Amino acid sequence: MAPSRKFFVGGNWKMNGKKQNLGELIGTLNAAKVPADTEVVCAPPTAYIDFARQKLDPKIAVAAQNCYKVTNGDFTGEISPGMIKDCRATWVVLGHSERRHVFGESNEPIGQKVARALTKVIVDNVKDWSKVILAYKPVWAIGTGKTATPQQAQEVQEKLRGWLKSNVSEAVAQSTPIIYGGSVTGATCKELAGQPDVDGFLVGGASLKPKFMDIINAKQ
Ligand code: 13P
């Protein structure tokens, strides 16, 4: 039976934008039609999570770009999963290569954050993968304008799914969305979206432009 994974498109605004131009972008997104089988999530800078959630239509979810692993405390500059939820953001991007390269994050704390960011049920049972989306993002493709070819993305993402099958379970391998990120544009998205193991995108630069709608509609 063909897997029925929802197509997932994330727009990672990184450290870009101000209320004025993000507000205009939000207006464009709100006015556009999002296909029923596609989940769209925007990840604003931390300072604008609340702003974005208040302005964005409910058809678009909001993500934080990072979080720390504890509930609260003396951790200057950090935000907690509870604060993210309190602002009605429902996702968080963890383990981004920019966090690793610029801020020296390593696998261990990222794993701890993933456990903490998920619901209590999942903290108690880390084998529940139902709230996890994996992104394959070749570092040479991020912000460089060099998109992976559909064949390159498919090859790696198929291997990742195989890894999930061997290390977690067949069911998790079939149900977990694996998305691609790295210089996705309106021009490159359609062919990438046609690959059997490409379940969506995590988009940086192009998510700040009205053309992001073309990427949201890549599967149509
Ligand atoms: P670009 O789409 O700008 O290459 O960024 C990808 C990315 O890092 C998304 O998180």
Side-chain angles (χ1 to χ4, degrees), residues 2-8 37 161 172-178 196-199:
S4 59
R5 294 181 295 273
K6 208 171 186 190
F7 198 67
F8 184 102
D37 57 355
R161 204 173 301 288
V172 165
Q174 288 310 321
S175 61
T176 302
I178 303 177
D197 288 293
V198 175
D199 301 319

Side-chain angles (χ1 to χ4, degrees), residues 39-120:
E39 177 152 11
V40 182
V41 179
C42 289
T46 303
Y48 299 136
I49 291 175
D50 203 34
F51 169 79
R53 183 59 289 166
Q54 286 188 36
K55 299 263 174 203
L56 271 169
D57 188 278
K59 71 188 176 207
I60 297 175
V62 172
Q65 294 180 14
N66 190 25
C67 72
Y68 194 46
K69 62 183 177 181
V70 301
T71 311
N72 57 269
D74 301 344
F75 302 102
T76 303
E78 296 293 331
I79 58 166
S80 72
M83 291 168 185
I84 293 167
K85 260 184 155 171
D86 199 31
C87 293
R88 295 181 298 121
T90 44
W91 293 92
V92 59
V93 180
L94 292 172
H96 195 285
S97 62
E98 285 154 13
R99 298 290 321 164
R100 294 167 189 264
H101 295 158
V102 185
F103 302 101
E105 277 193 6
S106 58
N107 283 344
E108 180 65 12
I110 291 167
Q112 291 170 0
K113 287 180 191 189
V114 171
R116 194 72 206 190
L118 302 177
T119 67
K120 174 90 171 62

Side-chain angles (χ1 to χ4, degrees), residues 10-14 93 96-98 137 141-145 181-185 202-207:
N12 181 5
W13 298 349
K14 306 192 180 184
V93 180
H96 195 285
S97 62
E98 285 154 13
K137 303 179 64 225
I142 296 176
T144 59
S183 296
V184 177
T185 64
L202 187 55
V203 185
S207 74

Side-chain angles (χ1 to χ4, degrees), residues 4 53 71 78 81 123 134 152 163 166-167 178 193 195 197 207 211 220:
S4 59
R53 183 59 289 166
T71 311
E78 296 293 331
V123 173
L134 296 179
Q152 283 170 329
W163 185 93
S166 311
N167 292 276
I178 303 177
Q195 303 303 309
D197 288 293
S207 74
K211 279 270 183 194
Q220 304 307 301

Side-chain angles (χ1 to χ4, degrees), residues 156-214:
V156 176
Q157 299 195 198
E158 188 179 13
K159 285 204 173 104
L160 274 170
R161 204 173 301 288
W163 185 93
L164 284 178
K165 184 176 168 184
S166 311
N167 292 276
V168 188
S169 70
E170 168 77 32
V172 165
Q174 288 310 321
S175 61
T176 302
I178 303 177
I179 63 177
Y180 167 81
S183 296
V184 177
T185 64
T188 56
C189 64
K190 268 207 180 294
E191 220 190 321
L192 281 161
Q195 303 303 309
D197 288 293
V198 175
D199 301 319
F201 302 112
L202 187 55
V203 185
S207 74
L208 290 157
K209 300 180 186 136
K211 279 270 183 194
F212 185 48
M213 284 315 305
D214 293 353

